[in-house]
Structure formats: C-alpha cells, structure tokens
Amino acid sequence: MNESRDQWGTKLGFILSAVGSAVGLGNIWRFPYVAYSNGGGAFLIPYFFAIFTAGIPLLILEYGMGHKYKGSTPLAMSRANKKWEWLGWWPTISAFMILSYYSMILSWAINYLKFSFNKSWGSDSNSFFYSDFLKLTSSPFEIGGMVWPILIGISLIWIINWTICYKGIKGGIEKVNKVLLPTLIGIMIVIAIRGTTLEGATLGLNTLFTPDWSKVLDPKVWVAAYGQVFFSLSLAMGIMVTYSSYLPKKTDINNSAFMTAFANCGFEFLCAIAVFGILGYMATVQGVPVSEVVSSGVGLAFIVFPTVFNAMGLWGTILGVLFFACLIFAGITSSVSLTEAVSAPFIDKFGWKRNKVITVICMIGFLMSIIFATGGALYLLDIIDNFINNYGIVVVGLLEVLLVGWILKPYIIREHTNEISYFRIGKWWDATVKYITPAILIFMLIQSVITEIKSPYGGYPLKALFMYGWSAILIGILGAIIISKKTWKNKNINDLND
C-alpha cells in the first residue's frame, strides 16, 4: 500500500475542505425549515442526539476507512473486503448524478446574482421563476426547449470544477477552500446581522426557536433530525473517505471528525438565524403570520427571498447580491468535493493520469447536465434528488456500518484512529456502529418506503417515478457491480490482484 498519493498541505486545509464539502445549499435552505417544522427549539434535542450517534461516528468511520486503506471509496472498501468493492462504486455513481443537477441549481444562483443588481425578477417572483426563467413545462414527460441562460451557467460551473480539481489536492481544492469557506462564513454573518436587526426579525426568530415539546416524542421528527445530519455532512457519498485518503500518516482523525461536525452545525445555526430574521421581517411587512411566508429549498431561495429583497430598497439589493453569492460559494465547495469523489476512484482503479480523468469526468458531466437546462428540468431534479437521498445514500450508509460493524469489526478502525489521535474513542463507538446507527437507518428506510407506498412522491405519476427515480437507483447498483468486476489496472496498487 505504498503508492504515492496526493496529500493535503496542512490539516487546516483538510478540515476546511471537509467542512466546505459538508456546507452546501442544504444548510442554507433546508436546515432552517426542517428545524422550524419539527418542533423549533425542541428539534435541537434529536438534532444533537443525531450528531453524536450518527454524524460523528460515521465521520470517524469514513475518515478512518479512507486513512487506513489509503484509497478512494472503492479502493478502501476493496482493501477492507474484496467482495465489497461494489459498495464503493455505488456512491461514486450517485455522486456523479448529484453533480449533474447540482450544476443546474448553481447556474440558477449565478443568474439570480445577476438579476439581484437591478431586481429584474420584477414584482411577481413566483411567476418569474417558473414561467419566465425556468420556462417550466406542464409535466415530467415534457422535456421542453433549451433554456440558454441556464446552460451558460451550467457550463461555467463545470469549467470551475475542472479548473480547481485539475490543479490537484494541495494546489486546487485546498487553496480554493481556504478562500471560499471563510468568505462564505463572513458573508453569512453580515446577512445574519442585518437580518436580525430588521423590523419584525424577533417574530421570525421566536417562531424558529420556540420549542414545541410535543414533537420530541414523534418518531418522524427523529427521522428528520437524522436525515438532516446525514445529508448535511456529505456522508455515504464517497467524499469523506476520498478526502481522508489524502491525509499524512500522522493525523488526528477523531478530533477532525468532531471539528467537521461542529463547524457544519454552527454554520447551519447561523443560516437559520439569518433566514428566519428575514422571514420575520417579511411577515411583518405583509401583516401575516410567519407560518405563511415560510418555505424551503428552491422556493425559499428563488421565490420567497426575491420578494423580501423587493420590499427592502437599497438593502434588498445588497442582501440579494450577498445571498446569491453565498449560494454560489456554498455550492462550489460541495460540487468540487463531488467532482473529486467521482474522479479519484477511476484514477485508483485504472491508473489513468489525474488530469485526463478530471477532464473526461467534467466533459461527460457537462453533457449529462444539458438535460437540466431544459424546461422539464425541475421535475427531473425533484424526483432524482428525492430517490438518491432517501434510498441511494441511506442504503449505502447502512451497508457501510454493517460492513464495518459486523464483517470487518469496528475495533479495527477504532484502534487505527486512536493510535494517531490526541483523544481516544471508547467502545461506545463500536456499539454505535454495530447497533444504533444501523437501527436508525433501517427505520428511516422503512419510513421512506411506507410513505412512498401510501402516497407516491410529489404526486407524480408512477411512470415518472420509475423513469427518473427508481431507475437512478438501479443504474447506481448495476453500474457499481459491473465496474467492480473489472481488474485493477493501476500498477501502484499491488495488493488487490494477488
């Protein structure tokens, strides 16, 4: 296992890049809404419980795997147990799919950054977003025409991904994260300060943090907390295993996992305060309760917030520019980590030159993304994202903990990370990986399936869900099995072809 591998220049560079990967669009537009709709202040109990019983243990597991077996996810899995190589390829393929539509959302943010200078979304931001900007078709079966401003934005994102990853770990990814992440946090602090000093901001913050204790006993709230922690830390996507494989031999793994989780968690709180301060202002201006203006995801960023910025005059222009710059920076740090997580396995498996792999991945990725520059793209994004997150990523995470907990045995990873870390983790970690995390992930999976059977996702026709959703899962599994059957061609990797 002595192959030469790219390395991080500093531990700080690794932490910033791991946090940069974890800090994405979900922190800004998903966490505030999830917290609000699951008991407000009371949600923090299951949320912190989830961080300690799933977030940090899984980070230690993925950092430990990547560092001990010195490889991207398929290589690490293969070195741990040859039969499990396919489990490393499934998240690689899922990450590639996520990348193809993530570039579309970032393209929207780039376009909206331009719009925010003169608020060219007009007075009806809802109609502007769906009709004028997206040119949304009437159903998921109608692809529609090409939307050129979105395609131009997508091209720009792929050029950025290529430029950063082409320069390698130290010269590209680490350098960019050292600039983008502090800038992103700085901008969000400015938005939060201004957001909380607006008229009615306290109304929004009270709505967010007032505890609804009755929700704490609701299993769905616990599932939501685990889901949020799981997705927002970039777990089971191949990113953290790959990133940790570039660490020097002596690196404090345990401490790094805690730092990554808490930094991500801190940023989520900052976003929640900023978002709900601004929503409180909007509710006050319109004379309606906060519950009527609350939204999540795409609606919050591209419909609700532009409406707020309209009402704020000059400050609306300033906050609009800062907010969309924030979305772009948060998205780029995540999309770069996804690009790396997709490229590294092919470099490891076939011994191809890094620059060639990055170039080919970015070119194929761009071609895949073209479908997301059409009028029907929002439907595809919605369906594929739901299935990859609720089934693909959750099942990969479940299989990871089963592999380490029951086949490899947890002490192997725990002893490896304890040997090189300042503070040691005890046997509680083994119990978490063997029993607690799998039980929760199985419960999440069952809940998703029951919900899916009761009412098909988003009210879409079943045919659309099979065409875009279930097929994305199937492609991930079949692709993973096919690639894992191929022999390792990389001459530096001499312990897999014996």
Side-chain angles (χ1 to χ4, degrees):
M1 284 192 211
N2 57 356
E3 72 269 15
S4 63
R5 213 176 161 71
D6 250 351
Q7 277 201 353
W8 299 105
T10 59
K11 184 184 166 187
L12 176 69
F14 162 68
I15 296 285
L16 286 176
S17 301
V19 173
S21 170
V23 165
L25 302 176
N27 301 63
I28 299 171
W29 72 29
R30 190 174 187 270
F31 174 75
Y33 182 80
V34 170
Y36 156 76
S37 56
N38 287 286
F43 177 72
L44 302 183
I45 293 173
Y47 176 73
F48 280 115
F49 195 83
I51 285 173
F52 284 105
T53 57
I56 291 167
L58 270 168
L59 272 176
I60 292 171
L61 183 151
E62 294 203 346
Y63 284 174
M65 288 282 288
H67 188 262
K68 178 176 173 61
Y69 297 111
K70 278 281 170 274
S72 58
T73 320
L75 177 54
M77 294 291 172
S78 195
R79 281 177 165 162
N81 186 318
K82 276 189 185 179
K83 291 177 189 162
W84 285 74
E85 184 194 326
W86 69 275
L87 181 58
W89 286 106
W90 185 6
T92 304
I93 295 166
S94 294
F96 203 13
M97 292 183 197
I98 292 169
L99 250 177
S100 64
Y101 62 73
Y102 210 72
S103 61
M104 169 188 73
I105 303 171
L106 291 185
S107 168
W108 297 351
I110 289 170
N111 279 282
Y112 265 70
L113 177 64
K114 189 180 75 188
F115 299 153
S116 59
F117 284 97
N118 58 359
K119 298 177 184 160
S120 48
W121 46 69
S123 57
D124 185 353
S125 60
N126 189 64
S127 156
F128 175 83
F129 179 64
Y130 291 119
S131 307
D132 304 350
F133 178 59
L134 291 187
K135 303 196 177 355
L136 189 65
T137 59
S138 56
S139 89
F141 303 114
E142 194 186 330
I143 294 300
M146 191 63 67
V147 184
W148 294 105
I150 295 178
L151 184 63
I152 292 165
I154 286 174
S155 318
L156 192 59
I157 291 300
W158 277 108
I159 290 166
I160 292 169
N161 284 342
W162 176 80
T163 307
I164 295 169
C165 292
Y166 192 88
K167 290 181 177 172
I169 299 302
K170 200 189 298 184
I173 296 174
E174 183 172 341
K175 234 181 209 171
V176 166
N177 275 291
K178 279 182 173 173
V179 175
L180 281 191
L181 199 68
T183 310
L184 172 64
I185 293 165
I187 294 174
M188 194 45 91
I189 288 170
V190 172
I191 297 175
I193 291 170
R194 184 61 192 128
T196 50
T197 52
L198 291 166
E199 180 198 355
T202 47
L203 183 69
L205 295 174
N206 287 341
T207 308
L208 171 64
F209 289 117
T210 301
D212 177 359
W213 296 113
S214 65
K215 293 265 179 96
V216 173
L217 298 174
D218 184 349
K220 282 184 181 159
V221 170
W222 287 78
V223 170
Y226 276 89
Q228 178 61 32
V229 166
F230 201 73
F231 304 135
S232 83
L233 284 173
S234 295
L235 295 166
M237 290 185 190
I239 295 169
M240 296 308 185
V241 176
T242 303
Y243 268 14
S244 60
S245 73
Y246 302 127
L247 283 167
K249 268 190 177 165
K250 295 281 180 204
T251 304
D252 187 340
I253 298 280
N254 298 341
N255 195 24
S256 299
F258 277 88
M259 284 167 73
T260 306
F262 289 135
N264 178 66
C265 169
F267 186 75
E268 286 194 323
F269 275 96
L270 183 61
C271 294
I273 289 164
V275 166
F276 269 81
I278 294 170
L279 291 176
Y281 164 78
M282 186 179 175
T284 306
V285 167
Q286 294 183 353
V288 295
V290 176
S291 56
E292 283 189 27
V293 295
V294 171
S295 177
S296 175
V298 169
L300 175 77
F302 299 103
I303 297 166
V304 176
F305 268 33
T307 308
V308 182
F309 301 144
N310 279 348
M312 291 175 70
L314 176 63
W315 262 108
T317 308
I318 295 167
L319 282 184
V321 170
L322 291 177
F323 177 73
F324 290 110
C326 229
L327 284 188
I328 294 165
F329 290 168
I332 286 172
T333 55
S334 298
S335 79
V336 163
S337 67
L338 285 164
T339 308
E340 184 59 34
V342 174
S343 306
F346 290 96
I347 298 167
D348 283 350
K349 177 100 182 178
F350 300 105
W352 296 331
K353 292 231 173 333
R354 175 185 185 84
N355 296 351
K356 178 183 165 186
V357 173
I358 296 287
T359 305
V360 171
I361 292 286
C362 288
M363 282 170 71
I364 296 171
F366 169 70
L367 293 172
M368 278 170 60
S369 297
I370 291 175
I371 187 78
F372 292 103
T374 59
L378 184 61
Y379 301 119
L380 305 190
L381 154 77
D382 193 21
I383 296 170
I384 297 170
D385 185 58
N386 171 67
F387 278 80
I388 287 181
N389 276 323
N390 285 338
Y391 302 105
I393 290 173
V394 173
V395 173
V396 169
L398 175 60
L399 292 172
E400 271 183 15
V401 288
L402 292 177
L403 168 66
V404 173
W406 294 91
I407 297 171
L408 188 64
K409 302 301 180 221
Y411 74 87
I412 290 178
I413 299 295
R414 178 167 53 85
E415 285 176 2
H416 173 76
T417 65
N418 279 346
E419 206 177 300
I420 50 176
S421 298
Y422 290 124
F423 70 89
R424 300 166 68 82
I425 47 167
K427 289 190 178 170
W428 62 268
W429 186 81
D430 301 31
T432 304
V433 169
K434 276 186 91 163
Y435 306 109
I436 299 172
T437 311
I440 287 151
L441 291 175
I442 289 168
F443 186 68
M444 278 172 71
L445 205 56
I446 292 167
Q447 285 280 55
S448 295
V449 172
I450 291 170
T451 309
E452 198 69 50
I453 293 166
K454 277 186 188 165
S455 55
Y457 176 69
Y460 290 109
L462 283 175
K463 187 180 169 190
L465 297 180
F466 277 103
M467 260 173 75
Y468 307 128
W470 290 113
S471 66
I473 301 296
L474 203 60
I475 289 167
I477 297 169
L478 290 177
I481 292 166
I482 291 163
I483 302 172
S484 65
K485 297 284 182 218
K486 298 193 175 298
T487 43
W488 288 81
K489 298 270 174 35
N490 192 339
K491 291 184 175 61
N492 293 319
I493 294 171
N494 49 24
D495 55 346
L496 289 170
N497 298 321
D498 306 336

